[in-house]
Amino acid sequence: MNLTRRQWIWLASVFGTTQLVRGQEAFAQEPLFAEVPPSASGITWVHENAISPSHYLPEALGPGCAFLDFDNDGWMDIFLVNSGPSDFWKPTKPVRNALYKNNRDGTFTDVTEKAGVSGAYFGMGVAVGDYDNDGWPDLFVTAYGKCILYKNNHDGTFSDVTEKARLATPGWTTSAVWFDYDADGKLDLFVCSFVDYSGVKKLECGNNQLGKNYYCVPRVFKPTTSFLYHNNGDGTFTEVSKGTAIARAMGKGLGVVATDINNDGRTDFFVANDTVQNFLFVSRGPGANGRWNWEEIALQAGVGFSESGRPRSGMGVDAADLNGNGWQDLFVANVDHEMFSVYENNKDETFRDVAHANGVARSTRLLSGWGLKYFDYDNDGAIDLFLANGHPDDMIDNYSMQVKYKEPLLLFHQGEDRKLHDVSDQGGPAFQKYFAARGLAVGDFDNDGALDVLIGNNGAAPLLLKNNAAKGNNWLGLKLEGAQCNRDAIGAKIYWTAGGKKRFRLKNNGGSYLSSHDPREVLGIGTASKIDELEIHWPAPSKQIDRLTNLPLNQYVRVVENGGIREYQHAAASQHTSKAS
């Protein structure tokens, strides 16, 4: 009996098989995800966490990372965030971010200095988005200190336009996300704010049982308000959260994802908070007072606290249509003993936690989760899950028998029963190692249609994993390009039919922790031989619907709003049609 890799993974996950039977030895020898060492990739950059005996909390939270095509050559480049000078640390040697150009042969070249994106503050995360709709991705870097907006100059360089754009956000910012909340065709920006770490009381939590300073639990610090910036369309932004539910929600934000939880066509966003309740901000449209109406509904939605009613240490988040019913489900990773949450959408602005039913609760009980992503890693059409973990306390090994500082990666595959099964033991050698993982981004750096994984490790080199799991399954990659809607097409709805199955995907943005993902969408169709129909519902203000047939397979194409398929990655525009409705 000849089974596909997907079928063998599912059988192994259901029956607990750790060794694939004879006849599948080729699959067993090739890991689902293979580590790409620095000697092969050319990525030699290492994160500097500024660790000190004082244990200042910002040391423990970075770094973020991103996949982006900064030079528009069709290949994903890599951006890595580093720390930098702050009020508690003055580096003795230069510390900088890193921008690596993809050489299209599996290697990368460091172009940071030429690009002008070295950074100037104690960096945390990065949000990538084309805020000026010029077709080139820009960078927003969060920090403990001050944020930086880097505008792409189209020539391999960036300019710091933070002051001009009025985005020099103060305090301690973490994750950020670009999305068009008012449907005017321009990307707005939400920025998570963490705790109030100002003044001199940075070590007030005292010493641990070893008699040494430790990283304070955020509970001891005051919460802050996050920021929503409206894009004015002239290169500047206006902070518009004052007087709204966003300003009234005092939190300790670490992760954020922009999605549509109630299918009303407006973008909502979900924020993971550390030691206080999470926030779910639902868009209610324009108000009579000129302000946009936001309603914070996390408590009544069932995503604010644990099932026992307690706040948890929310860090990484994501959203996707996990069970294929057309509604966005949520995910939150927490610290050890708190359990991670798989929130299934009840279709009435409430959710129920199904982590236990999916095996996620059991697998994550002793872990602390940061970067994560819902994505179809084997291109069978069903959403899977990747988790990057690591404890925030670097001394936990000395006084805990169960919890460790460096922790393993986790991989979950969605089976035929539509549940997530832990298949980490089949992931490859990297899943047998331990990391102080933080940010995680997914992106196809070698353009083979299988989404690879990049992980930022605290105080260490990043981890680049090549995806081998999708071999044997067909796919189509989409680079969506808005015309009336935002250029990145964030908020677009994608429907495709193949092999008798109809699939749906909402183009969310953000998710994970401190990181940004490949903006292209990869549609997996398993062993089906063609995509029968592809339908794209572009977001407001246009609400254009494009229907595409005679589609190619196993390549990337560029789809322009109301313009059909254009040449991209060797796609032939003449082979395809588009109809508006």
Side-chain angles (χ1 to χ4, degrees):
M1 179 173 58
N2 293 321
L3 300 180
T4 66
R5 175 196 293 277
R6 172 178 59 82
Q7 291 168 323
W8 279 98
I9 291 173
W10 180 77
L11 287 172
S13 66
V14 171
F15 296 107
T17 306
T18 57
Q19 294 291 327
L20 299 181
V21 300
R22 186 179 303 173
Q24 297 298 315
E25 292 177 356
F27 284 168
Q29 292 170 0
E30 185 178 57
L32 301 184
F33 288 87
E35 185 174 350
V36 184
S39 59
S41 68
I43 300 175
T44 59
W45 177 92
V46 176
H47 178 247
E48 170 59 72
N49 60 2
I51 189 170
S52 67
S54 297
H55 278 71
Y56 294 103
L57 188 54
E59 299 169 5
L61 266 63
C65 55
F67 279 110
L68 75 158
D69 182 9
F70 83 92
D71 53 0
N72 270 349
D73 67 350
W75 294 75
M76 286 296 118
D77 311 298
I78 285 175
F79 185 77
L80 301 159
V81 182
N82 215 339
S83 58
S86 69
D87 59 0
F88 63 82
W89 185 57
K90 300 296 183 288
T92 57
K93 59 182 181 180
V95 175
R96 62 176 179 82
N97 304 324
L99 177 63
Y100 280 95
K101 174 179 170 53
N102 191 326
N103 298 325
R104 312 185 195 182
D105 60 1
T107 68
F108 295 81
T109 298
D110 189 335
V111 295
T112 313
E113 299 299 337
K114 176 185 176 182
V117 292
S118 296
Y121 307 100
F122 203 97
M124 286 281 132
V126 56
V128 180
D130 182 5
Y131 77 89
D132 52 3
N133 284 336
D134 64 356
W136 296 76
D138 309 296
L139 293 168
F140 183 76
V141 181
T142 62
Y144 170 69
K146 191 173 74 170
C147 299
I148 300 177
L149 176 63
Y150 289 112
K151 173 177 167 50
N152 194 320
N153 296 325
H154 314 173
D155 60 0
T157 70
F158 292 77
S159 294
D160 182 346
V161 296
T162 315
E163 298 296 337
K164 176 184 176 182
R166 298 187 293 210
L167 285 176
T169 311
W172 185 353
T173 53
T174 52
S175 294
V177 63
W178 297 98
F179 67 106
D180 183 10
Y181 76 83
D182 58 350
D184 64 355
K186 300 180 291 291
L187 289 182
D188 310 300
L189 180 67
F190 179 82
V191 184
C192 287
S193 179
F194 195 43
V195 301
D196 182 354
Y197 206 64
S198 61
V200 296
K201 294 184 177 180
K202 293 178 168 60
L203 305 171
E204 63 185 48
C205 50
N207 299 331
N208 61 16
Q209 55 190 282
L210 301 176
K212 299 179 179 179
N213 287 327
Y214 60 94
Y215 292 121
C216 301
V217 175
R219 188 177 297 107
V220 305
F221 299 112
K222 294 180 180 178
T224 60
T225 57
S226 294
F227 304 88
L228 178 64
Y229 291 99
H230 178 260
N231 189 333
N232 299 323
D234 59 0
T236 68
F237 291 79
T238 300
E239 209 243 294
V240 292
S241 41
K242 291 182 175 63
T244 71
I246 296 171
R248 292 190 293 271
M250 301 289 288
K252 302 176 184 181
L254 286 180
V256 60
V257 62
T259 187
D260 180 2
I261 63 113
N262 53 12
N263 282 345
D264 65 354
R266 292 190 289 261
T267 304
D268 316 303
F269 57 100
F270 181 49
V271 179
N273 283 307
D274 197 343
T275 69
V276 297
Q277 77 153 81
N278 300 321
F279 297 143
L280 179 55
F281 294 104
V282 175
S283 174
R284 301 302 188 194
N289 57 2
R291 295 192 182 101
W292 200 262
N293 284 329
W294 296 98
E295 184 180 3
E296 199 291 291
I297 67 166
L299 184 60
Q300 56 264 44
V303 298
F305 296 98
S306 69
E307 290 183 335
S308 61
R310 296 179 180 179
R312 292 182 287 186
S313 300
M315 296 179 287
V317 297
D318 203 18
D321 179 12
L322 181 60
N323 51 16
N325 65 357
W327 294 76
Q328 295 293 292
D329 307 299
L330 303 175
F331 190 95
V332 186
N334 301 298
V335 81
D336 63 280
H337 291 90
E338 290 185 347
M339 307 298 182
F340 299 4
S341 289
V342 180
Y343 286 119
E344 186 175 290
N345 196 321
N346 294 325
K347 307 179 185 180
D348 60 359
E349 296 191 355
T350 70
F351 296 78
R352 61 181 176 274
D353 193 343
V354 294
H356 284 281
N358 281 274
V360 172
R362 179 178 65 254
S363 296
T364 61
R365 189 176 69 86
L366 298 177
L367 301 180
S368 299
W370 303 81
L372 56 93
K373 194 72 177 82
Y374 274 139
F375 71 109
D376 178 11
Y377 73 77
D378 58 351
N379 284 340
D380 66 351
I383 295 297
D384 310 303
L385 174 67
F386 198 117
L387 299 175
N389 310 292
H391 199 275
D393 183 357
D394 66 338
M395 290 185 284
I396 190 71
D397 298 45
N398 296 312
Y399 50 86
S400 174
M401 296 296 292
Q402 294 181 310
V403 179
K404 303 299 180 184
Y405 173 59
K406 293 184 177 181
E407 297 177 345
L409 308 172
L410 289 181
L411 183 66
F412 292 86
H413 182 264
Q414 184 173 162
E416 298 291 342
D417 58 359
R418 292 200 169 184
K419 293 183 179 180
L420 294 171
H421 299 274
D422 189 342
V423 295
S424 306
D425 60 348
Q426 302 160 41
F431 288 80
Q432 307 305 316
K433 297 182 180 180
Y434 298 85
F435 304 93
R438 297 297 185 264
L440 177 150
V442 301
D444 183 7
F445 76 84
D446 53 1
N447 280 343
D448 65 353
L451 289 171
D452 310 298
V453 177
L454 175 67
I455 297 170
N457 293 306
N458 185 260
L463 176 66
L464 179 61
L465 296 173
K466 173 177 167 46
N467 184 345
N468 297 315
K471 293 181 178 179
N473 284 335
N474 293 315
W475 57 278
L476 173 64
L478 303 178
K479 183 181 189 293
L480 300 185
E481 184 177 306
Q484 292 186 54
C485 73
N486 67 88
R487 188 68 173 257
D488 290 347
I490 296 166
K493 295 180 178 179
I494 305 167
Y495 301 85
W496 71 102
T497 304
K501 294 182 179 179
K502 188 169 185 177
R503 305 281 188 180
F504 161 75
R505 184 172 301 167
L506 175 66
K507 187 170 173 56
N508 295 323
N509 204 28
S512 190
Y513 170 74
L514 303 180
S515 302
S516 284
H517 313 286
D518 187 334
R520 301 172 299 182
E521 296 290 338
V522 178
L523 312 182
I525 63 171
T527 57
S529 59
K530 68 174 183 174
I531 294 178
D532 301 310
E533 186 177 64
L534 171 65
E535 191 171 283
I536 301 171
H537 295 219
W538 299 88
S542 76
K543 298 185 179 180
Q544 167 77 21
I545 298 176
D546 287 341
R547 295 184 178 91
L548 309 173
T549 56
N550 301 319
L551 293 153
L553 282 186
N554 303 326
Q555 68 181 61
Y556 284 95
V557 296
R558 182 168 67 102
V559 183
V560 179
E561 177 188 351
N562 198 26
I565 291 180
R566 305 290 178 84
E567 187 174 356
Y568 179 77
Q569 295 296 320
H570 310 296
S574 61
Q575 297 176 356
H576 316 292
T577 61
S578 174
K579 295 180 181 179
S581 66

